[in-house]
Amino acid sequence: MVRPGRSAEREVEGQKATPRHVAIIMDGNGRWAARRGLPRVAGHRAGAEAVRRTMQAAADAGVEVLTLYAFSSENWRRSEDEVSDLKGLMRFYLERELGTLQKEKVRLKLIGEPAAFGNDLYDRLSQAVEETKDNDRLTLVVALNYGSQAELVGAARALAERAKAGEIDPATIDIAAVESLLHTRDLPPLDLLVRTSGEVRLSNFLLWQAAYAELVFTDTLWPDFDEAAFAATLAEFARRQRRFGGR
């Protein structure tokens, strides 16, 4: 079972380091579809296949946690049809892939506010989380209706409420206190954050958690991201000398 704890230098002479926790901003589905003259939903469907490939590649590589930015809190601004298509795709993926999660011993975890997707989908998601909770080969974290700024505001508000109630002294609030209230509190620290499609920004994803992560940006559109592309990001991580400012 995955246990939290700060990353340590893992490069050993003659041995490649493998990140414990990899996160991916899956970007480029729309552009992939547009270049082929297809509707955006076709790009999202192709992106779902990339999720399957990447999950398998991460498990085979010995990664402990794979976190995917599936639906941001800002995605609600998209057209009603596209949001509906995304919800339908999530239902389809759950129904088709739950058996794969069990076979590959993958534990599903959700972060964000997935209840906003409605009772039916949320109940299906919660059931999948419950059914896979004892799997221990890989933890697949899916960020749904997630926004890092809202996550940090929630942590700050909770700490303020505790201080107001006299439960804690504000002077004792430290990094650990904040981290204990984040959605990722039971996961190992983020080692590697990848964004596909050539965009070079974090887009409100794991802002706190990325403080000491290695960042890799690739021009590959998400639907084209495959085992070789994932291996390339791990190789880039292994080439970098990890420094933690004395931590």
Side-chain angles (χ1 to χ4, degrees), residues 133-151:
K133 67 180 182 181
D134 294 326
N135 294 341
D136 58 6
R137 186 182 179 207
L138 172 75
T139 296
L140 176 65
V141 183
V142 181
L144 292 171
N145 192 29
Y146 172 85
S148 190
Q149 291 176 332
E151 176 187 31

Side-chain angles (χ1 to χ4, degrees), residues 24 26 29 44-58 66 68-70 89 93 96-97 100-101 108 138 140-142 222-227 230:
I24 304 179
M26 306 179 294
N29 291 348
H44 295 313
R45 288 171 181 161
E49 292 300 320
V51 169
R52 170 189 273 192
R53 293 193 300 266
T54 303
M55 181 185 73
Q56 187 66 61
L66 176 66
L68 302 178
Y69 204 10
L89 187 60
Y93 184 84
R96 191 188 70 170
E97 297 298 329
T100 300
L101 296 179
L108 179 64
L138 172 75
L140 176 65
V141 183
V142 181
W222 176 245
D224 293 326
F225 198 83
D226 57 15
E227 295 86 350
F230 187 76

Side-chain angles (χ1 to χ4, degrees), residues 145-162:
N145 192 29
Y146 172 85
S148 190
Q149 291 176 332
E151 176 187 31
L152 291 170
V153 168
R157 184 179 294 121
L159 289 169
E161 294 278 356
R162 292 180 185 178

